[in-house]
């Protein structure tokens, strides 16, 4: 109820009036049945504008820390995420991540729309980065189509670290649904997972017009922060744990204390 009231009555009409979003290919989103909406990720506001323009509810997987905050701010954050169709994703790896991934499967198995950012985190410089294979695993295991979604201009509305948005027009392009039925039964093959993921990223590059970087965005962010590159084996383990599916957000810390996280 909260989701629909905010989308249709309160927040939605105001956002449409201020930002005047333009949309192409919305009819590529199935009117019924399960599908994955795989989007590039430029801004925190992507998770607002994408479900706003889709007629059906869109459920995202968000990192579990947003659901376990302490204090008033932490509890309010957790409440907001639950009421706005977000599901917690444990990114610590192993059994915890597999259990969280099941929540995404449940959404798809029940015929819903699941929103995923294959890059795993927002682009640090508006370029498109290498996708992680969690989206491929979900698509192949649940045997649902993947609709590529290109967000246009949202990085100018709300750059990383900026609290108040800039009022300017943004766009969304929904591509043709991608069918990976030729790979069904091979979902555990690492090469197949990579092939599916790369095909999704190619479509996002084509739709968005972004420059593609064959590198993980998380690695580039770590380098920019002066932390040095992540070891390759660590990145691969993170992929296997499906920790890449949950969205990273530039939000206040979940405990309600301290400055915003720089992700």
């Amino acid at each position: 109820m909260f989701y629909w009231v905010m989308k249709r009555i309160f927040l939605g009409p105001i956002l449409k009036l201020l930002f005047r979003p333009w949309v192409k290919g919305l009819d590529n989103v199935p009117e019924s049945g399960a599908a994955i909406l795989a989007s590039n990720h430029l801004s925190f506001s992507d998770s607002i504008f994408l479900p706003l323009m889709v007629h059906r509810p869109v459920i995202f997987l968000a990192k579990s820390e947003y659901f376990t905050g302490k204090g008033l701010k932490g509890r309010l954050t957790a409440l907001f995420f639950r009421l706005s169709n977000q599901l917690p994703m444990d990114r610590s790896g192993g059994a915890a991540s597999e259990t969280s991934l099941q929540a995404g499967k449940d959404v798809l198995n029940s015929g819903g729309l699941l929103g995923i950012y294959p890059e795993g985190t927002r682009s640090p410089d508006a370029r498109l980065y290498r996708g992680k294979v969690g989206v491929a695993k979900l698509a192949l295991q649940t045997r649902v189509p993947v609709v590529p979604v290109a967000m246009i201009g949202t990085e100018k509305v709300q750059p990383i670290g900026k609290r108040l948005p800039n009022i300017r027009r943004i766009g969304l392009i929904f591509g043709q649904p991608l069918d990976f039925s030729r790979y069904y039964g091979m979902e555990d093959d690492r090469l197949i997972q990579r092939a599916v993921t790369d095909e999704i990223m190619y479509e996002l590059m084509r739709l968005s017009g972004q420059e593609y970087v064959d590198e993980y965005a998380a690695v580039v962010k770590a380098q920019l922060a002066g932390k040095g590159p992540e070891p390759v084996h660590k990145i691969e383990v993170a992929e296997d744990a499906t920790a890449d599916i949950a969205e990273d957000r530039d939000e206040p810390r979940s405990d309600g204390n301290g400055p915003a996280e720089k992700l």
Side-chain angles (χ1 to χ4, degrees), residues 16-27:
K16 289 181 179 180
L17 179 64
L18 291 176
F19 296 96
R20 299 174 296 122
W22 57 267
V23 181
K24 294 183 180 179
L26 187 57
D27 56 348

Side-chain angles (χ1 to χ4, degrees), residues 187-234:
E187 54 267 17
D188 294 328
D189 188 315
R190 184 73 181 185
L191 294 179
I192 297 299
Q193 295 169 7
R194 174 47 55 193
V196 169
T197 303
D198 287 347
E199 184 173 337
I200 294 170
M201 300 314 293
Y202 175 81
E203 284 301 307
L204 290 178
M205 179 186 69
R206 188 181 65 82
L207 292 171
S208 68
Q210 291 172 274
E211 177 186 348
Y212 179 75
V213 181
D214 192 21
E215 179 67 274
Y216 293 110
V219 173
V220 174
K221 284 187 173 183
Q223 293 171 339
L224 292 174
K227 298 178 181 180
E230 289 282 349
V232 173
H233 76 275
K234 186 175 180 180

